[in-house]
Amino acid sequence: MQKPLLLVLLLAACGPVTVEQAERACAERARLAEAPRGSVGVGAGSGGMVSNVELTVTSDYFMGRDPSAIYDACVYQKSGQPPTRPLYSR
């Protein structure tokens, strides 16, 4: 009896989200398609010098995909509806 209920709950969690939620989530993916993002940190402490480097590069960037098209497709895929406003008006 509990397995069907669990399956229904799992499937419900995979359902579409609101357009607003999808737009927020997809805007970051589109930004990463424009250019890589990263940060560099350097510091000193009692243990000596410390450094940290983070770099995020997506396949969308490497493939030269249009960030606006990525945004539109992502929002539609997540919500089942087109975006309420274009990427570049955000």
Side-chain angles (χ1 to χ4, degrees):
M1 278 272 207
Q2 289 186 3
K3 285 186 181 185
L5 178 60
L6 179 61
L7 181 61
V8 168
L9 291 175
L10 286 173
L11 290 175
C14 296
V17 297
T18 67
V19 174
E20 292 79 19
Q21 290 171 322
E23 287 174 338
R24 281 192 300 273
C26 296
E28 180 60 21
R29 180 175 174 196
R31 278 195 222 46
L32 288 170
E34 289 177 325
R37 299 285 189 257
S39 63
V40 176
V42 178
S46 60
M49 295 293 291
V50 178
S51 64
N52 180 30
V53 176
E54 271 187 47
L55 181 64
T56 303
V57 182
T58 65
S59 61
D60 293 329
Y61 173 75
F62 282 124
M63 301 290 289
R65 294 186 177 129
D66 176 22
S68 184
I70 290 168
Y71 173 77
D72 291 347
C74 178
V75 171
Y76 190 81
Q77 180 183 19
K78 288 183 178 291
S79 69
Q81 298 177 30
T84 58
R85 58 187 180 178
L87 172 66
Y88 298 114
S89 72
R90 294 183 60 81

